[in-house]
Amino acid sequence: MPTVEIVSLDCNRLLPIKNSTLPFTVLQNRKLISHRSLFQEELNKINGTILHLGNKKFGRNTCFFASELIDWASEIEKMKLIKINGKEKFKEDLEIFTFTPSMFASIIKVLKCALKYSPINKIFFYTDIQTGNDLEVGKMYGNISFEDFIKKQNGEYYIFNTLYEIHK
């Protein structure tokens, strides 16, 4: 099951997010500790507020997954080849995804809030999924604008086990 986490970089407070208005649950902490260790080394180098996004049914438990945020029936699941940085790769070499359409507006809302409260206008967005594949895990996507990150939902895709550094 996947985890989905966002870090509002250099943010020194919890964010004004109301779980009652979202179709998923957001847990927040000023200590940057991931539910999984894939990007913990990167988190140890920065300050901010971490947001853990998870299925509503888990409530405020300390460990939960975000499987309901992922569109498991997406058209990308049927693709054989995908393009990464202009090069074609076999889809089996990477785990790609899009968000569940009914969740996407709320995910955007949380991302915007995290960007707003980051004094340097930057956030980290990353996922972690454990699979049986021999994946390229723990990749850094690099710097991407908020608009370009959002565009990946329509016509492109996101890559599991990838940290995206998003700016305004």
Side-chain angles (χ1 to χ4, degrees), residues 57-80:
K57 68 182 175 187
F58 291 114
R60 303 202 47 84
N61 291 330
T62 57
C63 183
F64 60 96
F65 302 108
S67 59
E68 294 175 4
L69 280 70
I70 307 302
D71 185 359
W72 301 105
S74 169
E75 288 297 312
I76 63 170
E77 289 299 316
K78 300 173 187 171
M79 295 171 63
K80 299 280 187 224

Side-chain angles (χ1 to χ4, degrees), residues 33 41 47 85-86 88 122 124 127 154:
I33 300 172
E41 191 173 306
N47 294 308
N85 298 327
E88 285 191 339
K122 286 187 180 181
F124 283 172
T127 56
N154 300 309

Side-chain angles (χ1 to χ4, degrees), residues 5-36:
E5 296 173 337
I6 299 167
V7 177
S8 181
L9 297 173
D10 284 350
C11 179
N12 62 4
R13 57 170 287 188
L14 297 181
L15 306 183
I17 295 173
K18 293 184 179 182
N19 281 310
S20 62
T21 65
L22 299 172
F24 50 83
T25 298
V26 177
L27 299 179
Q28 300 186 56
N29 202 316
R30 290 275 303 116
K31 292 181 183 179
L32 301 183
I33 300 172
S34 178
H35 280 162
R36 299 223 178 117

